[in-house]
Amino acid sequence: MIKLAEQLKAYRKKNSLSQDDLAAKLLISRQAISKWESGDSTPDLDNVVKLAEIFNVSLDNLVLGIKSDSKVDSTQFVFDPRKNKYVRRYDTMNFWGVLTHFWWLFMFMFIAFLFCIFMIAAVL
């Protein structure tokens, strides 16, 4: 876990954060940050995930130092661990997809249609 200690210190300095600032964001003590950076101890999984979010890096990059040269557009694709690949966030919509997303619009149009039918029937 020496790589984590090095990466943690490098990203903290890159983001211009002191150990106190980082500790405040994680709601832990400054001494814990110091121990992590010196390699005397390691953060638990929850704190590692929070650190990755704070530094806006992947877990692979933070823990292992692996630079990801991914060309995946995160606004269009998301990683699906069940399929072990990236899938589109929003599939192309077919009729049923439109119906389930805009059911309220179809309901409004149906009620408006019924209202028009009753109004025409009342006039005749």
Side-chain angles (χ1 to χ4, degrees):
M1 286 308 213
I2 294 175
K3 197 65 168 177
L4 174 63
E6 295 169 1
Q7 292 290 96
L8 181 58
K9 189 171 188 175
Y11 280 118
R12 181 179 59 79
K13 289 185 176 184
K14 182 179 176 183
N15 288 300
S16 304
L17 292 171
S18 66
Q19 288 182 345
D20 288 322
D21 295 336
L22 187 56
K25 288 185 179 211
L26 295 172
L27 303 174
I28 58 173
S29 67
R30 182 200 57 78
Q31 289 82 2
I33 301 291
S34 178
K35 286 181 181 179
W36 295 347
E37 288 182 357
S38 65
D40 292 339
S41 68
T42 56
D44 62 356
L45 184 59
D46 290 336
N47 284 325
V48 172
V49 171
K50 289 177 189 175
L51 286 166
E53 289 174 356
I54 289 169
F55 297 140
N56 196 24
V57 296
S58 69
L59 287 172
D60 287 341
N61 195 343
L62 182 63
V63 176
L64 303 173
I66 298 172
K67 301 281 186 202
S68 174
D69 292 337
S70 176
K71 304 287 186 211
V72 176
D73 183 6
S74 62
T75 61
Q76 293 293 320
F77 295 93
V78 65
F79 186 75
D80 184 358
R82 291 172 290 174
K83 296 179 181 177
N84 200 24
K85 65 178 185 176
Y86 285 91
V87 294
R88 284 198 177 277
R89 281 187 185 271
Y90 310 107
D91 288 332
T92 55
M93 282 196 191
N94 58 16
F95 172 75
W96 296 111
V98 172
L99 187 64
T100 56
H101 279 87
F102 299 106
W103 64 269
W104 54 271
L105 182 60
F106 290 109
M107 187 61 82
F108 175 76
M109 290 172 31
F110 180 71
I111 292 171
F113 173 75
L114 289 179
F115 179 74
C116 291
I117 296 293
F118 285 127
M119 292 304 287
I120 291 171
V123 171
L124 297 175

